[in-house]
Amino acid sequence: MRNTLGGLRPRLRDRPMITDAVLATLLTAAAVLFAHGSAPAGAPPGPGGPTGTALALITAGCLATALRRLRPFLVLCLVVLLDVALAGLSHSGSLWLATLPLIYTTAAHRGLALSLCALAVTFCGRIVSAMVRGDLGDWTAHLLMAALTVTLWSIGRSLRLRRAYLSELRDRAERMDRAREADTRAARAEERSRIARELHDVVAHHVSVMTVQAAAARRVLASNPDGAREALSAIEETGRAAMAEMRNIVGVLRTGPAVPAERGPQPGLREIASLAEQMREAGLPTCLRFEGGGSAEATPDGVPPLPPGVDLAVYRLVQEALTNSLRHAGEGASAWVTVRHEPGELTVHIEDDGRGPRAARAAAARNEAVQGEAGGAADRGRAAAERIGHGLVGIRERVALYGGILRIGPRPEGGFEVKARFPLKD
């Protein structure tokens, strides 16, 4: 029995016209029985029954309630008119039963203005019917019907407001879900961009160092086996360092929910010394100076602790600039790294005195073509364009992220420089 009722309810919910037709049939039967039990107004005492016209009006009004979900207000107006016509036949009809589900449906499924109009039409129709029948003095019945009508109207309005409130909650939840998904996508895109920048810096630096060391080992392999062995050892150490750093960066992408990520400390200002030493081993003499607190020394002790983001940005800036110097400065070039701390500001200056591997060829071509100063400026511009690659463009984004100012370009006395200023808060 319970399974039968459980399967019947969804079917009735999906087919509301069946429920309305059953309700209309029950209202018709109740109204007809009520009409047979009442005598016509003004008739002598005794049993009396409704005429065929009155029965037709009662049946039409009650069966019309089957359309209450489609046009509740129009059906209500029709029923009120039929009730007035029934009163004109001097019959105390019972169409007021049909107005109850209609007033409830109008209040539950239509706006406030239309539901108030339906309430007013119902009361006006009953007043007119009572006046036509001449039974305005029966205040008890009128008050009972008015109270029942207002109660059903209030229940319908409450259900409509509740549905509107639940719908607003659902819409708000959907909007929050969409906003959360958008934030998640933005965070993923930002993280992918950050990892791409980190990988570029790591790979470009270490591969450049390994390439230079491999070339040096190849040159001295026959004449100086011990030197070649040291270069190969340096290549091995550089490769291991690159693999370890890339594993730390990419490891978070392959970490499952049950495996905690192994997050090593990010490189910063204190690792610049090892970076300079690595450049010296690769063949680029690098001088490192830290200025701050009235002293200049080769250790970062005079520089106060930096925010983690600025600390990493400074390291990547020095790493990318020295990598470019190693790659483009040419033979016999030297580099200088100066980190200066001032009140409210940190300045990082990387410069080299290299002319580039193509400087000699550019000078020869310039002399042969007799291009003068304009040709020299064009050559310098092409050389500077070669030095500014994707890595320094990414560094520009890092510096701008922390409100810094970055200058990249050739030095007036020759060579290349990268200079950044980071604002520091107290």
Side-chain angles (χ1 to χ4, degrees):
M1 182 67 177
R2 183 175 301 175
N3 293 335
T4 303
L5 293 176
L8 183 61
R9 289 173 182 173
R11 294 179 183 177
L12 294 178
R13 192 181 300 114
D14 296 337
R15 298 174 177 82
M17 289 296 296
I18 297 177
T19 306
D20 294 340
V22 173
L23 177 62
T25 303
L26 294 177
L27 285 175
T28 303
V32 170
L33 290 177
F34 184 82
H36 276 288
S38 63
T51 62
T53 304
L55 285 177
L57 293 177
I58 293 172
T59 303
C62 292
L63 291 179
T65 57
L67 304 175
R68 67 186 183 94
R69 296 179 190 269
L70 300 178
R71 296 289 186 273
F73 182 73
L74 294 180
V75 175
L76 177 64
C77 293
L78 175 63
V79 172
V80 169
L81 290 176
L82 293 177
D83 189 42
V84 173
L86 194 61
L89 296 176
S90 300
H91 191 280
S92 58
S94 54
L95 279 180
W96 64 272
L97 289 174
T99 61
L100 297 179
L102 293 173
I103 198 69
Y104 165 80
T105 305
T106 305
H109 297 280
R110 296 296 181 268
L112 178 61
L114 194 61
S115 63
L116 288 175
C117 289
L119 195 63
V121 167
T122 302
F123 285 144
C124 290
R126 287 178 182 172
I127 292 173
V128 172
S129 299
M131 292 175 61
V132 171
R133 286 192 295 265
D135 57 352
L136 281 175
D138 192 3
W139 290 104
T140 303
H142 294 323
L143 288 176
L144 180 61
M145 287 187 293
L148 187 58
T149 301
V150 171
T151 300
L152 291 175
W153 183 87
S154 301
I155 294 174
R157 286 300 304 170
S158 299
L159 290 178
R160 177 175 174 80
L161 294 177
R162 178 176 175 80
R163 282 197 300 268
Y165 176 71
L166 294 178
S167 177
E168 177 64 24
L169 288 181
R170 284 193 295 269
D171 293 342
R172 186 180 304 175
E174 291 176 359
R175 289 194 299 269
M176 292 179 64
D177 290 340
R178 289 194 295 268
R180 190 181 300 110
E181 291 176 0
D183 293 341
T184 302
R185 287 194 298 268
R188 289 174 179 171
E190 182 179 357
E191 183 67 13
R192 285 195 295 267
S193 177
R194 184 191 68 81
I195 291 175
R197 290 195 301 266
E198 297 288 340
L199 286 177
H200 173 272
D201 296 340
V202 171
V203 172
H205 168 71
H206 290 91
V207 170
S208 297
V209 173
M210 293 167 65
T211 302
V212 173
Q213 291 173 337
R218 179 178 55 82
R219 291 193 184 99
V220 301
L221 183 60
S223 60
N224 188 3
D226 293 337
R229 189 179 299 108
E230 292 179 1
L232 292 176
S233 299
I235 292 175
E236 181 183 2
E237 293 177 1
T238 304
R240 291 182 185 276
M243 289 300 297
E245 195 166 353
M246 284 191 295
R247 190 178 296 112
N248 289 335
I249 294 173
V250 186
V252 67
L253 298 179
R254 297 182 299 178
T255 300
V259 181
E262 296 180 1
R263 301 187 177 215
Q266 292 282 6
L269 198 64
R270 296 188 175 276
E271 283 73 26
I272 294 180
S274 61
L275 192 63
E277 182 64 28
Q278 205 175 47
M279 286 295 160
R280 296 188 195 101
E281 295 176 358
L284 178 67
T286 304
C287 178
L288 177 62
R289 283 164 50 105
F290 291 93
E291 299 179 357
S295 63
E297 51 187 12
T299 61
D301 296 334
V303 180
L306 300 177
V310 176
D311 202 23
L312 178 61
V314 169
Y315 179 85
R316 294 303 184 198
L317 172 66
V318 176
Q319 184 184 49
E320 183 64 30
L322 289 180
T323 302
N324 280 350
S325 297
L326 178 67
R327 188 184 304 166
H328 301 290
E331 296 181 359
S334 299
W336 298 271
V337 178
T338 304
V339 180
R340 181 182 301 109
H341 175 260
E342 299 174 353
E345 184 179 80
L346 182 73
T347 304
V348 183
H349 193 189
I350 306 98
E351 51 187 338
D352 63 64
D353 58 357
R355 300 181 58 196
R358 301 182 183 180
R361 293 196 300 270
R366 185 167 60 250
N367 293 331
E368 291 176 1
V370 195
Q371 295 179 352
E373 292 297 327
D379 288 335
R380 287 193 297 271
R382 284 193 294 271
E386 290 176 359
R387 295 286 295 270
I388 303 175
H390 294 289
L392 287 179
V393 173
I395 291 298
R396 189 185 301 275
E397 294 179 0
R398 284 182 183 271
V399 175
L401 179 63
Y402 298 101
I405 300 173
L406 182 66
R407 181 188 178 278
I408 303 173
R411 299 168 66 210
E413 59 272 20
F416 203 79
E417 68 175 350
V418 178
K419 189 174 183 179
R421 293 180 179 177
F422 294 90
L424 300 178
K425 297 181 180 180
D426 294 336

